[in-house]
């Protein structure tokens, strides 16, 4: 079958990110597409040139150190279009080098549209190597995508609904299960707070503890070409100030090889992997509660659960999220393990795998949105939750034996164990508990206190969230 005439679109794309799911993740194209990478490279080159023009020692550039010139230069990337990226790709066919193609594109723009002389344009990419551009452009794209898309979407899609439900269902008692068996009661709201706290901890870690670092130091990290050309300039201070101009969160690594060591990129990827792991845990719990009929799901008109079983309403949003986060985590794991390793002063493997950096972020974004859809379909089935509690009066045995310990009653744990660990299908009932309490040699007021305890009110401290 001949395939050389197939055009790329949502149906022919190999990756589901660029095909089936494109509509849900296309916002990340502004940060991780080939077009976006080229645009970020142009931005770094232009801003670097502008900062060079402010150095009085670089006399050929003194004539372009004006606000008007800076605006015109910035317009090259601010007004960057897909057709500009196509021109750069066309130049690359000749150069067989992507960064050199960016350099030539900018020089041509400056010469033909701004009428700058060749003496001036030769300061584009002055003293730099490709990875000064890539290892600044890519961290810049990552930090902006995290700040503008990924974390806002996580908070909106997952944290906001969870917070709303945790308050709404704060006091709804629910049977807990440890090892799959009935355990001390909790509340629906509190169990959601477990995930809220875990997610907030990881978000705080991402926002406050994970640095966004870059490399900007010449061919092997020592600013050799800069130093030999203009030895009187403090190039270390210049470079560190420059990356802050691009984004205040960017920090230049002082000691590098030809490339950034990626330790902090790995830390960021690992943080997103932990967030996904927490969300997988959430999805599996919600899925289980749905299967236990603690939650029902709102029906969506026209939606089909099974091609053969008309009654099915499946928890597909949580399943889709779990699957996509699994794919994302596999890539996060590979990238975080691979990127910090490079032979001697540099090999090309980092460049190869970095081209996929947007893929796990896209699967994460897709998952956040899937979880939101699933959460908004949930309807709490209080009747079933209450039925389960009422069928498991044995769970108040912990409360009873603890109060008996307080009162100095001999071997209370063993007494409750004898009562509650029954064989067969027999269930401990309210009547069984009360009969046991009446048989105890304890004061009547303690018996009354014990009889007030039920699976519905033995829920611990729930007032502080």
């Amino acid at each position: 079958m001949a395939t050389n005439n197939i055009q790329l679109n949502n149906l022919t794309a190999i990756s589901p990110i660029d095909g089936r799911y494109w509509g849900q993740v296309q916002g990340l194209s502004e940060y991780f597409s080939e077009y976006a990478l080229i645009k970020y490279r142009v931005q770094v080159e232009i801003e670097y040139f502008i900062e060079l023009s402010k150095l009085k020692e670089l006399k050929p550039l003194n004539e372009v150190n004006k606000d008007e010139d800076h605006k015109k230069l910035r317009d090259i990337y601010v007004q960057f279009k897909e057709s500009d990226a196509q021109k750069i790709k066309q130049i690359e066919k000749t150069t067989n080098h992507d960064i050199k193609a960016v350099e030539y594109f900018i020089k041509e723009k400056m010469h033909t549209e701004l009428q700058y002389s060749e003496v001036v344009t030769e300061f584009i990419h002055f003293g730099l190597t490709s990875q000064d551009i890539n290892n600044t452009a890519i961290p810049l794209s990552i930090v902006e995508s995290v700040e503008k898309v990924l974390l806002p979407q996580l908070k909106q899609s997952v944290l906001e609904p969870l917070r709303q439900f945790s308050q709404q269902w704060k006091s709804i008692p629910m049977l807990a299960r440890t090892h799959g068996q009935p355990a001390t009661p909790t509340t629906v709201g509190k169990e959601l707070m477990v995930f809220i706290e875990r997610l907030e901890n990881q978000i705080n870690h991402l926002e406050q503890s994970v640095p966004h670092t870059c490399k900007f130091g010449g061919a092997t990290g020592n600013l050799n070409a800069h130093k030999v050309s203009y030895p009187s300039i403090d190039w270390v201070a210049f470079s560190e100030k420059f990356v802050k101009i691009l984004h205040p969160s960017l920090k230049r690594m002082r000691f590098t090889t030809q490339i950034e060591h990626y330790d902090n990129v790995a830390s960021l990827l690992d943080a997103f992997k932990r967030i996904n792991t927490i969300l997988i845990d959430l999805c599996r719990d919600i899925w289980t509660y749905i299967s236990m009929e603690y939650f029902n799901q709102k029906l969506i008109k026209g939606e089909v659960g099974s091609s053969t079983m008309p009654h099915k309403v499946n928890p597909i949003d949580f399943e889709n999220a779990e699957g996509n986060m699994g794919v994302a985590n596999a890539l996060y794991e590979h990238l975080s393990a691979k990127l910090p390793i490079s032979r001697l002063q540099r090999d090309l493997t980092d460049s190869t795998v970095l081209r996929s950096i947007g893929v796990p972020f896209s699967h994460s974004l897709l998952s956040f949105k899937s979880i939101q859809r699933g959460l908004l379909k949930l309807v709490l089935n209080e009747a079933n939750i209450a039925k389960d509690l009422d069928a498991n009066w044995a769970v108040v045995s912990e409360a009873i034996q603890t109060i008996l310990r307080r009162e100095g009653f001999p071997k209370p744990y063993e007494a409750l164990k004898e009562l509650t660990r029954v064989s067969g299908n027999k269930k401990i009932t309210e009547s069984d508990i009360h009969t046991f309490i009446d048989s105890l040699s304890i004061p009547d007021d303690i018996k009354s206190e014990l009889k007030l305890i039920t699976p519905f009110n033995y829920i611990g401290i729930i007032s502080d969230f």
Side-chain angles (χ1 to χ4, degrees):
M1 178 180 176
T3 59
N4 58 354
N5 61 344
I6 291 180
Q7 299 297 310
L8 178 64
N9 57 49
N10 289 7
L11 293 175
T12 60
I14 294 172
S15 165
I17 290 299
D18 297 309
R20 181 181 183 86
Y21 301 133
W22 171 249
Q24 297 184 65
V25 300
Q26 61 182 320
L28 286 178
S29 178
E30 295 181 30
Y31 307 95
F32 298 118
S33 63
E34 182 76 2
Y35 163 82
L37 176 57
I38 294 171
K39 182 178 179 181
Y40 274 109
R41 287 165 169 169
V42 172
Q43 178 181 350
V44 173
E45 292 276 16
I46 292 292
E47 290 295 341
Y48 172 60
F49 179 87
I50 289 173
E51 289 309 300
L52 287 179
S53 75
K54 298 175 183 178
L55 298 173
K56 64 180 186 302
E57 293 89 346
L58 276 63
K59 299 190 183 305
L61 300 188
N62 292 165
E63 63 183 87
V64 298
N65 183 24
K66 307 181 187 70
D67 290 343
E68 181 182 353
D69 289 287
H70 295 171
K71 182 184 181 307
K72 289 177 181 177
L73 287 164
R74 287 193 173 103
D75 281 345
I76 295 175
Y77 72 82
V78 171
Q79 298 178 10
F80 195 77
K81 303 182 293 293
E82 190 175 330
S83 58
D84 293 321
Q86 292 288 6
K87 287 179 184 177
I88 291 173
K89 296 301 289 184
Q90 194 63 35
I91 297 169
E92 188 182 342
K93 289 180 179 179
T94 301
T95 62
N96 197 30
H97 196 287
D98 47 8
I99 298 298
K100 207 64 180 174
V102 168
E103 177 187 340
Y104 287 167
F105 167 82
I106 296 172
K107 285 179 174 179
E108 181 184 349
K109 279 265 188 184
M110 292 170 68
H111 180 67
T112 59
E113 296 182 15
L114 305 181
Q115 283 78 52
Y116 288 167
S117 67
E118 186 174 336
V119 173
V120 170
T121 61
E122 279 304 312
F123 280 88
I124 290 294
H125 202 71
F126 176 78
L128 302 181
T129 188
S130 300
Q131 291 308 105
D132 292 314
I133 303 303
N134 286 331
N135 284 168
T136 305
I138 292 173
L140 180 59
S141 71
I142 292 173
V143 67
E144 291 191 342
S145 70
V146 169
E147 290 182 350
K148 296 178 182 179
V149 179
L150 292 162
L151 286 185
Q153 191 70 56
L154 174 61
K155 293 173 183 178
Q156 175 190 329
S157 295
V158 182
L159 277 179
E160 287 182 16
L162 286 180
R163 287 195 188 104
Q164 178 184 341
F165 290 147
S166 71
Q167 293 301 314
Q168 184 178 337
W169 301 329
K170 176 179 181 177
S171 302
I172 304 296
M174 180 183 80
L175 185 69
R177 291 182 182 272
T178 59
H179 308 280
Q181 306 304 308
T184 300
T186 181
T187 74
V188 179
K190 177 262 172 177
E191 294 311 305
L192 295 179
M193 281 302 302
V194 171
F195 291 100
I196 292 170
E197 184 174 66
R198 293 172 70 188
L199 289 169
E200 286 178 339
N201 286 342
Q202 294 307 313
I203 290 171
N204 288 339
H205 175 68
L206 259 178
E207 292 180 328
Q208 299 173 20
S209 303
V210 178
H212 296 278
T213 53
C214 60
K215 179 263 177 180
F216 203 83
T220 56
N222 302 338
L223 293 163
N224 304 48
H226 295 76
K227 177 68 173 177
V228 76
S229 302
Y230 293 95
S232 64
I233 296 174
D234 186 346
W235 288 110
V236 171
F238 171 90
S239 301
E240 290 175 355
K241 177 185 174 185
F242 164 64
V243 300
K244 292 287 184 186
I245 290 169
L246 294 171
H247 194 286
S249 294
L250 281 182
K251 179 182 178 182
R252 174 183 176 266
M253 289 290 92
R254 174 66 179 86
F255 299 102
T256 70
T257 59
Q258 188 175 91
I259 62 174
E260 215 268 316
H261 47 60
Y262 299 113
D263 295 336
N264 292 311
V265 173
S267 181
L268 180 139
L269 298 173
D270 287 338
F272 271 97
K273 187 176 71 172
R274 286 194 299 274
I275 287 171
N276 281 356
T277 299
I278 293 166
L279 292 177
I280 289 172
D281 198 19
L282 170 69
C283 287
R284 290 181 181 176
D285 277 9
I286 298 293
W287 187 98
T288 303
Y289 290 135
I290 291 170
S291 72
M292 294 163 61
E293 297 186 349
Y294 280 18
F295 290 116
N296 295 327
Q297 296 178 95
K298 295 175 185 176
L299 299 177
I300 306 299
K301 187 176 181 180
E303 194 172 272
V304 174
S306 167
S307 63
T308 187
M309 295 176 283
H311 68 284
K312 295 291 290 294
V313 182
N314 298 326
I316 57 172
D317 298 301
F318 298 107
E319 294 170 342
N320 281 339
E322 182 181 340
N324 276 296
M325 286 184 289
V327 173
N329 279 5
L331 287 167
Y332 287 140
E333 173 68 26
H334 173 66
L335 289 165
S336 68
K338 166 67 210 81
L339 284 170
I341 300 171
S342 188
R343 295 169 181 87
L344 303 181
Q345 280 67 55
R346 195 264 167 112
D347 64 36
L348 197 66
T349 53
D350 67 311
S351 179
T352 300
V353 300
L354 274 173
R355 293 187 181 278
S356 299
I357 193 83
V359 178
F361 288 127
S362 298
H363 282 284
S364 285
L365 180 65
L366 190 60
S367 299
F368 302 161
K369 293 182 177 182
S370 292
I371 291 171
Q372 181 181 39
R373 285 194 299 274
L375 289 174
L376 296 181
K377 290 178 185 176
L378 294 181
V379 178
L380 191 67
N381 190 338
E382 291 189 54
N384 265 9
I385 293 174
K387 181 181 177 182
D388 214 4
L389 279 168
D390 199 40
N392 286 278
W393 272 79
V395 297
V396 302
S397 62
E398 178 194 47
I400 294 170
Q401 66 100 1
T402 304
I403 291 176
L404 291 177
R405 284 173 186 263
R406 182 193 74 190
E407 297 300 315
F409 188 87
K411 297 187 181 302
Y413 175 88
E414 287 72 16
L416 269 297
K417 178 182 175 183
E418 183 72 22
L419 169 70
T420 56
R421 294 188 72 169
V422 295
S423 59
N425 294 322
K426 187 179 185 311
K427 285 276 192 179
I428 298 296
T429 65
E430 179 181 10
S431 176
D432 294 327
I433 293 291
H434 286 190
T435 298
F436 170 79
I437 293 170
D438 285 334
S439 72
L440 297 173
S441 298
I442 56 176
D444 287 344
D445 62 324
I446 303 301
K447 289 182 180 180
S448 298
E449 179 184 357
L450 293 176
K451 287 182 179 180
L452 290 175
I453 301 169
T454 75
F456 298 91
N457 64 21
Y458 182 47
I459 56 175
I461 300 169
I462 62 165
S463 60
D464 59 343
F465 68 89

